[in-house]
Structure formats: structure tokens, C-alpha cells
Amino acid sequence: GWSNNSVTVSLSATDTASGVAATYYQLDTSPVAQGTRLTIDTEGVHSLQVWSVDNAGNVEAQQNVEVKIDKTAPLISHALSPLPNAAQWNHSDVTVTFTCTDAVSGVASCTSPVTKGEGAAQKVDGTAVDNAGNQATDEATVNVDETKPTVTGSLSAPPNAHGWFNSPVTATFTCADQAGLSGVASCPADATLGQGQGQSAGGTATDAAGNVSDPFTLSGINVDTTAPTLGGATTTAPNANGWYNGDVTVKWSAADNLSGLDGSVPANSTVTGEGQNLSASASVSDLAGNTTNATVGGIQIDRTSPVTTATAPTDWQSSTVTVTLKATDNLSGVAGTY
């Protein structure tokens, strides 16, 4: 019973005896008018009273004609549940609910709620129709990402055969999100690890929809940047003049407080030969590959006895004889002549 355009009303009167003298009408509260045709333009529910008078003066009882006009489209809007985040993404299914209103003829139909799962830029169209046949449409856009991002990582270099580094190592992370969805919003920052044993680095990634990845960790990272210690000492002391007259044994001691020695402490060194500044050297490495060299020097060895000559007459003397002794030594020097 509704029209969505202007309505033209045609009136037709009949009288079988004297004939129709005039036809009258009154629209709502407007003044009474005479005629058989009128056009109603305004929206609303109109009451049109119509009657005719014949030539004998008989007046017809008024008839009421109801005319309903609604030219205005209904209103339609939508709401998303749950609401998207600031990046306009959801990480769970989204229901689009349409709300339709019409102030004149009333709503005849409104699109039912629609639920959308994972996908980007999904269009949901809603339509409102009022009782006059006017229509309005509304479009919602839904972005749903229900898949967690992923994290992988690697070190800037591989460890040595013992599982150690001897310089700082950097852990680098790569994050990814399923193609066509919200994309990575955050990824663990690179981390540089210095000296320490059993260290780890990692974290989680977040996509633009708010999904958080499973934790990812690079663990068991061992870094030793400190060389081991190495020292040596002779096992016997030199004489009072600082000299030895035979082989000298140097005993070594070594330690590493982090990765540990790669092998055992160097074996004792034996210094042979003669000289004023003899030495012994050794080296030691730890499991991280750090190496220390050490030398014990200033060792003096003189294996050759001094030579003494005596100056004296070789034949018989009849008076006191003075014997002159002269000692020489080409290395440590003469300490005493007896």
C-alpha cells in the first residue's frame, strides 16, 4: 500500500438519474477543492476525503481514500564484532551485523548477519528495503588473519669443532607471515653475545592482526674471548752466581677458566747447551681457539770447566819459589782459584 513516487489520484463519479453536478475532495486538512484529478507529492500517510453532488442536490457520503508515499531510501549501517585493531585487522572470525531504519514506511527487509573467516579485504554487502520499495546498500570490509607468524634465526658464524666462539657472535632473526595476510609487525632484534657459556637469544614475532608467534630461541651459545694463562719456572735454582752447569728443566703451568684447555698442560721443557741467555718456550690453546705463548729466558748454563795455568821454574831451585796461577773461563768467568 505504499508508493515511492508522487501519486496522481483520478476521481470518477456516476449518477443514474439526474447526473453528476460536481465532485469534491479534501486532502488532509487542506481546503475543500472541486475536481476529478489531483497529484500528491509529499511523503507521509495522507487522508483524502472524496464525494460528489448530483443535479438534484443529493450529496454523496464522504469516502476516505488513504494514500501512502515514501520517497526516501531507508538507512543502513554495519558493525563488526569483534572490532578490528588500529591496523584494521582481526585475528578471529568477524560477524558483520547490519542495522536498517526507515522513518516513513518502515523497514521491509535487512540483510542478516554475515560471519567471515580468514582473508584480506573481504567485502560484505548489505541491503535495506523499505515498505515503499526504496533500497539502500552498505558495504563492509573485513580483514581476518588467524595464522601465527613464524621466526627463524641464525648466527653470524658457526662455532668451532668444540662448539665455541673466540669472538662475539651476532644472532640475526627473520620473521614471516602468511602471504596475503596482515604481515609482520615486529620481529626480535639482532643480538650480539659476548663472553659467556650457555647463552641464548630469541623472542617472538607479532603480525599486524595481533597474532604472536611461538617462541624461538637460539641456545647453547658459548663465547670465550680470553686466552688461557701459561707460565713456566725452572725446577731447580741456579747457584749463587746465577749459573747452571748442566741441563735445566722448566715446568709449565696453564689454566683456562671458561672453555678449558684444548689438551693437557705442556710437558716439561729441558734446556740444553751452553749460553748466557738460554730459554724455553711453550704454547697452549683453549677450546675456543685462543692461544697463549710463553717463554722462560735468562737461563745461564756453563758446562765447561775453567782452565788454570801455573808459572814456575821446572828445575831445582836453591831459594824460595813463587808460583803464579792464572785461571781463565770463556763463559761464566772464574769464581775462585785453589
Side-chain angles (χ1 to χ4, degrees), residues 68-90:
K68 297 187 287 185
I69 300 175
D70 182 358
K71 298 180 180 181
T72 303
L75 299 177
I76 181 171
S77 61
H78 67 268
L80 306 183
S81 179
L83 292 173
N85 63 14
Q88 299 304 305
W89 280 89
N90 288 83

Side-chain angles (χ1 to χ4, degrees), residues 45 88 187 194 296 298 324:
V45 179
Q88 299 304 305
C187 189
V296 175
T324 301

Side-chain angles (χ1 to χ4, degrees), residues 164 197 223-224 226 256-262 286-290:
W164 282 86
Q197 185 174 13
V223 180
D224 182 356
T226 303
D256 190 89
N257 294 327
L258 191 53
S259 60
L261 295 177
D262 186 7
D286 61 19
L287 292 174
N290 300 297

Side-chain angles (χ1 to χ4, degrees), residues 5 34 37 45 56 77 123 156 168 170 177 193 197 216-218 236 264 279 287 337:
N5 286 295
Q34 180 180 346
R37 185 180 181 88
V45 179
S77 61
K123 302 299 183 184
S156 55
T170 299
D177 195 56
L193 303 174
Q197 185 174 13
F216 178 85
T217 303
L218 293 170
T236 57
S264 57
S279 63
L287 292 174
T337 300

